[in-house]
Amino acid sequence: MNTPRNQVHQLPTGQRTRCEVWTRVMGYHRPVASFNIGKQGEHRERCFFNEPEQGQPTP
């Protein structure tokens, strides 16, 4: 079944669950919720990017 990539699905509030975010720190994975407040702030400031395919111009 194909769905458009930009289609947004929303669940009713009663069916939603909290999502736990994990990230890699110093070579191992940890939940962001276990970080101290300074480290959580650092995680929020991280930049994400998509690497262009080889041979494609960089925007």
PDB file of all heavy atoms in Angstrom, residues 3-39:
ATOM      1  N   THR A   3       1.372   5.286   0.393  1.00  0.00           N
ATOM      2  CA  THR A   3       0.758   6.504   0.938  1.00  0.00           C
ATOM      3  C   THR A   3       1.668   7.664   0.586  1.00  0.00           C
ATOM      4  O   THR A   3       2.883   7.509   0.517  1.00  0.00           O
ATOM      5  CB  THR A   3       0.602   6.430   2.472  1.00  0.00           C
ATOM      6  OG1 THR A   3       1.873   6.196   3.051  1.00  0.00           O
ATOM      7  CG2 THR A   3      -0.349   5.318   2.875  1.00  0.00           C
ATOM      8  N   PRO A   4       1.090   8.827   0.352  1.00  0.00           N
ATOM      9  CA  PRO A   4       1.928   9.993   0.062  1.00  0.00           C
ATOM     10  C   PRO A   4       2.863  10.293   1.230  1.00  0.00           C
ATOM     11  O   PRO A   4       2.488  10.137   2.395  1.00  0.00           O
ATOM     12  CB  PRO A   4       0.920  11.122  -0.132  1.00  0.00           C
ATOM     13  CG  PRO A   4      -0.392  10.467  -0.335  1.00  0.00           C
ATOM     14  CD  PRO A   4      -0.325   9.129   0.314  1.00  0.00           C
ATOM     15  N   ARG A   5       4.091  10.722   0.939  1.00  0.00           N
ATOM     16  CA  ARG A   5       5.098  10.968   1.980  1.00  0.00           C
ATOM     17  C   ARG A   5       4.720  12.137   2.868  1.00  0.00           C
ATOM     18  O   ARG A   5       5.087  12.182   4.023  1.00  0.00           O
ATOM     19  CB  ARG A   5       6.461  11.228   1.338  1.00  0.00           C
ATOM     20  CG  ARG A   5       6.958  10.040   0.569  1.00  0.00           C
ATOM     21  CD  ARG A   5       8.326  10.273   0.082  1.00  0.00           C
ATOM     22  NE  ARG A   5       9.191   9.716   1.130  1.00  0.00           N
ATOM     23  CZ  ARG A   5      10.481   9.897   1.189  1.00  0.00           C
ATOM     24  NH1 ARG A   5      11.077  10.614   0.291  1.00  0.00           N
ATOM     25  NH2 ARG A   5      11.191   9.363   2.150  1.00  0.00           N
ATOM     26  N   ASN A   6       3.977  13.092   2.345  1.00  0.00           N
ATOM     27  CA  ASN A   6       3.657  14.278   3.142  1.00  0.00           C
ATOM     28  C   ASN A   6       2.309  14.154   3.839  1.00  0.00           C
ATOM     29  O   ASN A   6       1.843  15.095   4.440  1.00  0.00           O
ATOM     30  CB  ASN A   6       3.700  15.535   2.279  1.00  0.00           C
ATOM     31  CG  ASN A   6       2.751  15.452   1.110  1.00  0.00           C
ATOM     32  OD1 ASN A   6       2.101  14.439   0.889  1.00  0.00           O
ATOM     33  ND2 ASN A   6       2.674  16.520   0.350  1.00  0.00           N
ATOM     34  N   GLN A   7       1.692  12.966   3.796  1.00  0.00           N
ATOM     35  CA  GLN A   7       0.406  12.779   4.451  1.00  0.00           C
ATOM     36  C   GLN A   7       0.615  12.706   5.965  1.00  0.00           C
ATOM     37  O   GLN A   7       1.514  12.023   6.445  1.00  0.00           O
ATOM     38  CB  GLN A   7      -0.262  11.506   3.963  1.00  0.00           C
ATOM     39  CG  GLN A   7      -1.647  11.309   4.505  1.00  0.00           C
ATOM     40  CD  GLN A   7      -2.313  10.086   3.900  1.00  0.00           C
ATOM     41  OE1 GLN A   7      -1.721   9.381   3.099  1.00  0.00           O
ATOM     42  NE2 GLN A   7      -3.540   9.842   4.282  1.00  0.00           N
ATOM     43  N   VAL A   8      -0.216  13.394   6.720  1.00  0.00           N
ATOM     44  CA  VAL A   8      -0.100  13.442   8.175  1.00  0.00           C
ATOM     45  C   VAL A   8      -1.232  12.630   8.788  1.00  0.00           C
ATOM     46  O   VAL A   8      -2.392  12.802   8.437  1.00  0.00           O
ATOM     47  CB  VAL A   8      -0.162  14.900   8.688  1.00  0.00           C
ATOM     48  CG1 VAL A   8      -0.131  14.929  10.206  1.00  0.00           C
ATOM     49  CG2 VAL A   8       0.976  15.711   8.112  1.00  0.00           C
ATOM     50  N   HIS A   9      -0.865  11.701   9.676  1.00  0.00           N
ATOM     51  CA  HIS A   9      -1.865  10.907  10.394  1.00  0.00           C
ATOM     52  C   HIS A   9      -1.913  11.419  11.824  1.00  0.00           C
ATOM     53  O   HIS A   9      -0.883  11.599  12.459  1.00  0.00           O
ATOM     54  CB  HIS A   9      -1.468   9.431  10.412  1.00  0.00           C
ATOM     55  CG  HIS A   9      -1.382   8.830   9.046  1.00  0.00           C
ATOM     56  ND1 HIS A   9      -2.487   8.386   8.378  1.00  0.00           N
ATOM     57  CD2 HIS A   9      -0.333   8.632   8.229  1.00  0.00           C
ATOM     58  CE1 HIS A   9      -2.119   7.919   7.198  1.00  0.00           C
ATOM     59  NE2 HIS A   9      -0.811   8.065   7.084  1.00  0.00           N
ATOM     60  N   GLN A  10      -3.096  11.640  12.339  1.00  0.00           N
ATOM     61  CA  GLN A  10      -3.227  12.089  13.718  1.00  0.00           C
ATOM     62  C   GLN A  10      -4.125  11.125  14.470  1.00  0.00           C
ATOM     63  O   GLN A  10      -5.177  10.732  13.980  1.00  0.00           O
ATOM     64  CB  GLN A  10      -3.822  13.491  13.769  1.00  0.00           C
ATOM     65  CG  GLN A  10      -2.860  14.539  13.264  1.00  0.00           C
ATOM     66  CD  GLN A  10      -3.367  15.937  13.533  1.00  0.00           C
ATOM     67  OE1 GLN A  10      -4.530  16.147  13.845  1.00  0.00           O
ATOM     68  NE2 GLN A  10      -2.474  16.911  13.420  1.00  0.00           N
ATOM     69  N   LEU A  11      -3.660  10.743  15.672  1.00  0.00           N
ATOM     70  CA  LEU A  11      -4.434   9.869  16.540  1.00  0.00           C
ATOM     71  C   LEU A  11      -5.229  10.720  17.514  1.00  0.00           C
ATOM     72  O   LEU A  11      -4.797  11.803  17.893  1.00  0.00           O
ATOM     73  CB  LEU A  11      -3.508   8.951  17.336  1.00  0.00           C
ATOM     74  CG  LEU A  11      -2.765   7.874  16.574  1.00  0.00           C
ATOM     75  CD1 LEU A  11      -1.795   7.153  17.493  1.00  0.00           C
ATOM     76  CD2 LEU A  11      -3.747   6.888  15.971  1.00  0.00           C
ATOM     77  N   PRO A  12      -6.363  10.202  17.976  1.00  0.00           N
ATOM     78  CA  PRO A  12      -7.071  10.899  19.053  1.00  0.00           C
ATOM     79  C   PRO A  12      -6.176  10.949  20.293  1.00  0.00           C
ATOM     80  O   PRO A  12      -5.339  10.064  20.513  1.00  0.00           O
ATOM     81  CB  PRO A  12      -8.293  10.018  19.305  1.00  0.00           C
ATOM     82  CG  PRO A  12      -8.442   9.176  18.086  1.00  0.00           C
ATOM     83  CD  PRO A  12      -7.073   9.034  17.491  1.00  0.00           C
ATOM     84  N   THR A  13      -6.344  11.968  21.095  1.00  0.00           N
ATOM     85  CA  THR A  13      -5.498  12.172  22.274  1.00  0.00           C
ATOM     86  C   THR A  13      -5.471  10.952  23.187  1.00  0.00           C
ATOM     87  O   THR A  13      -4.425  10.590  23.721  1.00  0.00           O
ATOM     88  CB  THR A  13      -5.980  13.400  23.064  1.00  0.00           C
ATOM     89  OG1 THR A  13      -5.967  14.521  22.189  1.00  0.00           O
ATOM     90  CG2 THR A  13      -5.079  13.688  24.249  1.00  0.00           C
ATOM     91  N   GLY A  14      -6.572  10.232  23.324  1.00  0.00           N
ATOM     92  CA  GLY A  14      -6.640   9.068  24.192  1.00  0.00           C
ATOM     93  C   GLY A  14      -5.789   7.899  23.715  1.00  0.00           C
ATOM     94  O   GLY A  14      -5.430   7.018  24.484  1.00  0.00           O
ATOM     95  N   GLN A  15      -5.447   7.852  22.425  1.00  0.00           N
ATOM     96  CA  GLN A  15      -4.660   6.753  21.866  1.00  0.00           C
ATOM     97  C   GLN A  15      -3.173   7.076  21.776  1.00  0.00           C
ATOM     98  O   GLN A  15      -2.372   6.217  21.445  1.00  0.00           O
ATOM     99  CB  GLN A  15      -5.177   6.386  20.473  1.00  0.00           C
ATOM    100  CG  GLN A  15      -6.558   5.825  20.466  1.00  0.00           C
ATOM    101  CD  GLN A  15      -7.002   5.469  19.062  1.00  0.00           C
ATOM    102  OE1 GLN A  15      -6.281   5.683  18.088  1.00  0.00           O
ATOM    103  NE2 GLN A  15      -8.204   4.926  18.958  1.00  0.00           N
ATOM    104  N   ARG A  16      -2.791   8.321  22.055  1.00  0.00           N
ATOM    105  CA  ARG A  16      -1.390   8.719  21.935  1.00  0.00           C
ATOM    106  C   ARG A  16      -0.603   8.242  23.141  1.00  0.00           C
ATOM    107  O   ARG A  16      -1.137   8.146  24.246  1.00  0.00           O
ATOM    108  CB  ARG A  16      -1.283  10.240  21.816  1.00  0.00           C
ATOM    109  CG  ARG A  16      -1.947  10.751  20.557  1.00  0.00           C
ATOM    110  CD  ARG A  16      -1.878  12.223  20.460  1.00  0.00           C
ATOM    111  NE  ARG A  16      -0.475  12.601  20.288  1.00  0.00           N
ATOM    112  CZ  ARG A  16      -0.046  13.834  20.270  1.00  0.00           C
ATOM    113  NH1 ARG A  16      -0.884  14.829  20.423  1.00  0.00           N
ATOM    114  NH2 ARG A  16       1.233  14.095  20.111  1.00  0.00           N
ATOM    115  N   THR A  17       0.669   7.930  22.913  1.00  0.00           N
ATOM    116  CA  THR A  17       1.571   7.559  24.000  1.00  0.00           C
ATOM    117  C   THR A  17       2.828   8.426  23.915  1.00  0.00           C
ATOM    118  O   THR A  17       3.206   8.901  22.844  1.00  0.00           O
ATOM    119  CB  THR A  17       2.000   6.083  23.925  1.00  0.00           C
ATOM    120  OG1 THR A  17       2.632   5.847  22.682  1.00  0.00           O
ATOM    121  CG2 THR A  17       0.811   5.157  24.089  1.00  0.00           C
ATOM    122  N   ARG A  18       3.486   8.625  25.048  1.00  0.00           N
ATOM    123  CA  ARG A  18       4.698   9.430  25.080  1.00  0.00           C
ATOM    124  C   ARG A  18       5.812   8.694  24.342  1.00  0.00           C
ATOM    125  O   ARG A  18       5.989   7.487  24.518  1.00  0.00           O
ATOM    126  CB  ARG A  18       5.109   9.701  26.524  1.00  0.00           C
ATOM    127  CG  ARG A  18       6.369  10.543  26.643  1.00  0.00           C
ATOM    128  CD  ARG A  18       6.659  10.905  28.068  1.00  0.00           C
ATOM    129  NE  ARG A  18       5.773  11.926  28.576  1.00  0.00           N
ATOM    130  CZ  ARG A  18       5.922  13.232  28.334  1.00  0.00           C
ATOM    131  NH1 ARG A  18       6.914  13.645  27.608  1.00  0.00           N
ATOM    132  NH2 ARG A  18       5.084  14.097  28.825  1.00  0.00           N
ATOM    133  N   CYS A  19       6.538   9.419  23.529  1.00  0.00           N
ATOM    134  CA  CYS A  19       7.644   8.856  22.760  1.00  0.00           C
ATOM    135  C   CYS A  19       8.950   9.099  23.529  1.00  0.00           C
ATOM    136  O   CYS A  19       9.244  10.221  23.933  1.00  0.00           O
ATOM    137  CB  CYS A  19       7.718   9.530  21.403  1.00  0.00           C
ATOM    138  SG  CYS A  19       9.077   8.971  20.389  1.00  0.00           S
ATOM    139  N   GLU A  20       9.711   8.042  23.740  1.00  0.00           N
ATOM    140  CA  GLU A  20      10.992   8.183  24.427  1.00  0.00           C
ATOM    141  C   GLU A  20      12.088   8.332  23.373  1.00  0.00           C
ATOM    142  O   GLU A  20      12.226   7.487  22.496  1.00  0.00           O
ATOM    143  CB  GLU A  20      11.272   6.967  25.302  1.00  0.00           C
ATOM    144  CG  GLU A  20      12.515   7.126  26.135  1.00  0.00           C
ATOM    145  CD  GLU A  20      12.689   5.976  27.106  1.00  0.00           C
ATOM    146  OE1 GLU A  20      12.196   4.871  26.840  1.00  0.00           O
ATOM    147  OE2 GLU A  20      13.317   6.194  28.142  1.00  0.00           O
ATOM    148  N   VAL A  21      12.856   9.399  23.453  1.00  0.00           N
ATOM    149  CA  VAL A  21      13.911   9.685  22.483  1.00  0.00           C
ATOM    150  C   VAL A  21      15.251   9.229  23.048  1.00  0.00           C
ATOM    151  O   VAL A  21      15.602   9.570  24.175  1.00  0.00           O
ATOM    152  CB  VAL A  21      13.962  11.197  22.156  1.00  0.00           C
ATOM    153  CG1 VAL A  21      15.095  11.512  21.200  1.00  0.00           C
ATOM    154  CG2 VAL A  21      12.629  11.651  21.587  1.00  0.00           C
ATOM    155  N   TRP A  22      15.978   8.444  22.258  1.00  0.00           N
ATOM    156  CA  TRP A  22      17.312   7.990  22.633  1.00  0.00           C
ATOM    157  C   TRP A  22      18.304   8.628  21.676  1.00  0.00           C
ATOM    158  O   TRP A  22      17.978   8.933  20.533  1.00  0.00           O
ATOM    159  CB  TRP A  22      17.404   6.472  22.514  1.00  0.00           C
ATOM    160  CG  TRP A  22      16.713   5.726  23.614  1.00  0.00           C
ATOM    161  CD1 TRP A  22      15.382   5.795  23.954  1.00  0.00           C
ATOM    162  CD2 TRP A  22      17.307   4.808  24.522  1.00  0.00           C
ATOM    163  NE1 TRP A  22      15.123   4.973  25.004  1.00  0.00           N
ATOM    164  CE2 TRP A  22      16.284   4.346  25.370  1.00  0.00           C
ATOM    165  CE3 TRP A  22      18.584   4.329  24.676  1.00  0.00           C
ATOM    166  CZ2 TRP A  22      16.524   3.427  26.377  1.00  0.00           C
ATOM    167  CZ3 TRP A  22      18.813   3.406  25.679  1.00  0.00           C
ATOM    168  CH2 TRP A  22      17.791   2.966  26.524  1.00  0.00           C
ATOM    169  N   THR A  23      19.499   8.845  22.137  1.00  0.00           N
ATOM    170  CA  THR A  23      20.546   9.384  21.271  1.00  0.00           C
ATOM    171  C   THR A  23      21.886   8.765  21.647  1.00  0.00           C
ATOM    172  O   THR A  23      22.041   8.213  22.735  1.00  0.00           O
ATOM    173  CB  THR A  23      20.602  10.922  21.386  1.00  0.00           C
ATOM    174  OG1 THR A  23      21.494  11.418  20.387  1.00  0.00           O
ATOM    175  CG2 THR A  23      21.079  11.358  22.757  1.00  0.00           C
ATOM    176  N   ARG A  24      22.808   8.875  20.724  1.00  0.00           N
ATOM    177  CA  ARG A  24      24.130   8.297  20.957  1.00  0.00           C
ATOM    178  C   ARG A  24      24.997   9.330  21.668  1.00  0.00           C
ATOM    179  O   ARG A  24      25.094  10.482  21.244  1.00  0.00           O
ATOM    180  CB  ARG A  24      24.780   7.896  19.633  1.00  0.00           C
ATOM    181  CG  ARG A  24      26.075   7.113  19.815  1.00  0.00           C
ATOM    182  CD  ARG A  24      26.570   6.620  18.477  1.00  0.00           C
ATOM    183  NE  ARG A  24      27.008   7.716  17.636  1.00  0.00           N
ATOM    184  CZ  ARG A  24      28.241   8.189  17.620  1.00  0.00           C
ATOM    185  NH1 ARG A  24      29.152   7.671  18.396  1.00  0.00           N
ATOM    186  NH2 ARG A  24      28.563   9.177  16.820  1.00  0.00           N
ATOM    187  N   VAL A  25      25.615   8.931  22.760  1.00  0.00           N
ATOM    188  CA  VAL A  25      26.514   9.800  23.524  1.00  0.00           C
ATOM    189  C   VAL A  25      27.773   9.014  23.828  1.00  0.00           C
ATOM    190  O   VAL A  25      27.703   7.949  24.444  1.00  0.00           O
ATOM    191  CB  VAL A  25      25.871  10.253  24.851  1.00  0.00           C
ATOM    192  CG1 VAL A  25      26.825  11.135  25.638  1.00  0.00           C
ATOM    193  CG2 VAL A  25      24.573  10.965  24.599  1.00  0.00           C
ATOM    194  N   MET A  26      28.893   9.532  23.397  1.00  0.00           N
ATOM    195  CA  MET A  26      30.192   8.927  23.708  1.00  0.00           C
ATOM    196  C   MET A  26      30.237   7.434  23.365  1.00  0.00           C
ATOM    197  O   MET A  26      30.779   6.628  24.122  1.00  0.00           O
ATOM    198  CB  MET A  26      30.544   9.136  25.183  1.00  0.00           C
ATOM    199  CG  MET A  26      30.629  10.578  25.603  1.00  0.00           C
ATOM    200  SD  MET A  26      31.944  11.464  24.783  1.00  0.00           S
ATOM    201  CE  MET A  26      33.360  10.745  25.550  1.00  0.00           C
ATOM    202  N   GLY A  27      29.622   7.047  22.260  1.00  0.00           N
ATOM    203  CA  GLY A  27      29.735   5.680  21.788  1.00  0.00           C
ATOM    204  C   GLY A  27      28.662   4.728  22.260  1.00  0.00           C
ATOM    205  O   GLY A  27      28.683   3.558  21.903  1.00  0.00           O
ATOM    206  N   TYR A  28      27.729   5.162  23.058  1.00  0.00           N
ATOM    207  CA  TYR A  28      26.623   4.292  23.463  1.00  0.00           C
ATOM    208  C   TYR A  28      25.331   5.095  23.458  1.00  0.00           C
ATOM    209  O   TYR A  28      25.343   6.318  23.385  1.00  0.00           O
ATOM    210  CB  TYR A  28      26.887   3.639  24.820  1.00  0.00           C
ATOM    211  CG  TYR A  28      27.097   4.596  25.953  1.00  0.00           C
ATOM    212  CD1 TYR A  28      26.039   4.985  26.743  1.00  0.00           C
ATOM    213  CD2 TYR A  28      28.357   5.114  26.228  1.00  0.00           C
ATOM    214  CE1 TYR A  28      26.219   5.872  27.786  1.00  0.00           C
ATOM    215  CE2 TYR A  28      28.550   5.991  27.265  1.00  0.00           C
ATOM    216  CZ  TYR A  28      27.480   6.366  28.045  1.00  0.00           C
ATOM    217  OH  TYR A  28      27.659   7.234  29.069  1.00  0.00           O
ATOM    218  N   HIS A  29      24.187   4.412  23.526  1.00  0.00           N
ATOM    219  CA  HIS A  29      22.885   5.066  23.431  1.00  0.00           C
ATOM    220  C   HIS A  29      22.276   5.251  24.817  1.00  0.00           C
ATOM    221  O   HIS A  29      22.373   4.364  25.667  1.00  0.00           O
ATOM    222  CB  HIS A  29      21.938   4.244  22.543  1.00  0.00           C
ATOM    223  CG  HIS A  29      22.361   4.239  21.113  1.00  0.00           C
ATOM    224  ND1 HIS A  29      23.262   3.336  20.619  1.00  0.00           N
ATOM    225  CD2 HIS A  29      22.019   5.052  20.084  1.00  0.00           C
ATOM    226  CE1 HIS A  29      23.461   3.585  19.336  1.00  0.00           C
ATOM    227  NE2 HIS A  29      22.722   4.611  18.987  1.00  0.00           N
ATOM    228  N   ARG A  30      21.639   6.426  25.016  1.00  0.00           N
ATOM    229  CA  ARG A  30      20.997   6.768  26.294  1.00  0.00           C
ATOM    230  C   ARG A  30      19.691   7.500  26.004  1.00  0.00           C
ATOM    231  O   ARG A  30      19.592   8.243  25.021  1.00  0.00           O
ATOM    232  CB  ARG A  30      21.884   7.723  27.111  1.00  0.00           C
ATOM    233  CG  ARG A  30      23.222   7.190  27.486  1.00  0.00           C
ATOM    234  CD  ARG A  30      23.180   6.345  28.674  1.00  0.00           C
ATOM    235  NE  ARG A  30      22.458   7.052  29.739  1.00  0.00           N
ATOM    236  CZ  ARG A  30      22.349   6.615  30.967  1.00  0.00           C
ATOM    237  NH1 ARG A  30      22.899   5.499  31.290  1.00  0.00           N
ATOM    238  NH2 ARG A  30      21.695   7.292  31.866  1.00  0.00           N
ATOM    239  N   PRO A  31      18.674   7.347  26.867  1.00  0.00           N
ATOM    240  CA  PRO A  31      17.452   8.140  26.701  1.00  0.00           C
ATOM    241  C   PRO A  31      17.729   9.600  27.062  1.00  0.00           C
ATOM    242  O   PRO A  31      18.417   9.878  28.054  1.00  0.00           O
ATOM    243  CB  PRO A  31      16.452   7.491  27.660  1.00  0.00           C
ATOM    244  CG  PRO A  31      17.268   6.730  28.627  1.00  0.00           C
ATOM    245  CD  PRO A  31      18.563   6.381  27.949  1.00  0.00           C
ATOM    246  N   VAL A  32      17.212  10.514  26.250  1.00  0.00           N
ATOM    247  CA  VAL A  32      17.444  11.940  26.478  1.00  0.00           C
ATOM    248  C   VAL A  32      16.850  12.375  27.816  1.00  0.00           C
ATOM    249  O   VAL A  32      17.396  13.245  28.489  1.00  0.00           O
ATOM    250  CB  VAL A  32      16.849  12.766  25.310  1.00  0.00           C
ATOM    251  CG1 VAL A  32      16.936  14.256  25.598  1.00  0.00           C
ATOM    252  CG2 VAL A  32      17.571  12.437  24.011  1.00  0.00           C
ATOM    253  N   ALA A  33      15.777  11.732  28.254  1.00  0.00           N
ATOM    254  CA  ALA A  33      15.140  12.099  29.522  1.00  0.00           C
ATOM    255  C   ALA A  33      16.063  11.875  30.723  1.00  0.00           C
ATOM    256  O   ALA A  33      15.866  12.481  31.773  1.00  0.00           O
ATOM    257  CB  ALA A  33      13.847  11.309  29.701  1.00  0.00           C
ATOM    258  N   SER A  34      17.087  11.007  30.580  1.00  0.00           N
ATOM    259  CA  SER A  34      17.988  10.746  31.705  1.00  0.00           C
ATOM    260  C   SER A  34      19.139  11.747  31.768  1.00  0.00           C
ATOM    261  O   SER A  34      19.929  11.704  32.706  1.00  0.00           O
ATOM    262  CB  SER A  34      18.557   9.327  31.604  1.00  0.00           C
ATOM    263  OG  SER A  34      19.461   9.220  30.526  1.00  0.00           O
ATOM    264  N   PHE A  35      19.235  12.656  30.784  1.00  0.00           N
ATOM    265  CA  PHE A  35      20.299  13.661  30.784  1.00  0.00           C
ATOM    266  C   PHE A  35      20.033  14.721  31.838  1.00  0.00           C
ATOM    267  O   PHE A  35      18.872  14.990  32.182  1.00  0.00           O
ATOM    268  CB  PHE A  35      20.377  14.371  29.430  1.00  0.00           C
ATOM    269  CG  PHE A  35      20.872  13.518  28.297  1.00  0.00           C
ATOM    270  CD1 PHE A  35      20.776  13.986  26.998  1.00  0.00           C
ATOM    271  CD2 PHE A  35      21.415  12.272  28.496  1.00  0.00           C
ATOM    272  CE1 PHE A  35      21.227  13.227  25.943  1.00  0.00           C
ATOM    273  CE2 PHE A  35      21.862  11.509  27.449  1.00  0.00           C
ATOM    274  CZ  PHE A  35      21.773  11.989  26.164  1.00  0.00           C
ATOM    275  N   ASN A  36      21.088  15.388  32.305  1.00  0.00           N
ATOM    276  CA  ASN A  36      20.885  16.548  33.178  1.00  0.00           C
ATOM    277  C   ASN A  36      20.374  17.706  32.319  1.00  0.00           C
ATOM    278  O   ASN A  36      20.362  17.632  31.094  1.00  0.00           O
ATOM    279  CB  ASN A  36      22.163  16.920  33.937  1.00  0.00           C
ATOM    280  CG  ASN A  36      23.282  17.346  33.013  1.00  0.00           C
ATOM    281  OD1 ASN A  36      23.036  17.991  31.994  1.00  0.00           O
ATOM    282  ND2 ASN A  36      24.503  16.994  33.346  1.00  0.00           N
ATOM    283  N   ILE A  37      19.924  18.789  32.938  1.00  0.00           N
ATOM    284  CA  ILE A  37      19.265  19.875  32.220  1.00  0.00           C
ATOM    285  C   ILE A  37      20.172  20.526  31.181  1.00  0.00           C
ATOM    286  O   ILE A  37      19.733  20.907  30.100  1.00  0.00           O
ATOM    287  CB  ILE A  37      18.684  20.913  33.212  1.00  0.00           C
ATOM    288  CG1 ILE A  37      17.717  21.838  32.490  1.00  0.00           C
ATOM    289  CG2 ILE A  37      19.803  21.671  33.909  1.00  0.00           C
ATOM    290  CD1 ILE A  37      16.869  22.657  33.443  1.00  0.00           C
ATOM    291  N   GLY A  38      21.470  20.618  31.473  1.00  0.00           N
ATOM    292  CA  GLY A  38      22.410  21.205  30.521  1.00  0.00           C
ATOM    293  C   GLY A  38      22.573  20.338  29.282  1.00  0.00           C
ATOM    294  O   GLY A  38      22.611  20.833  28.162  1.00  0.00           O
ATOM    295  N   LYS A  39      22.660  19.038  29.482  1.00  0.00           N
ATOM    296  CA  LYS A  39      22.817  18.117  28.362  1.00  0.00           C
ATOM    297  C   LYS A  39      21.538  18.055  27.528  1.00  0.00           C
ATOM    298  O   LYS A  39      21.593  17.916  26.308  1.00  0.00           O
ATOM    299  CB  LYS A  39      23.179  16.723  28.900  1.00  0.00           C
ATOM    300  CG  LYS A  39      23.697  15.786  27.859  1.00  0.00           C
ATOM    301  CD  LYS A  39      25.075  16.185  27.426  1.00  0.00           C
ATOM    302  CE  LYS A  39      25.618  15.206  26.407  1.00  0.00           C
ATOM    303  NZ  LYS A  39      26.883  15.644  25.856  1.00  0.00           N
TER     304      LYS A  39
END
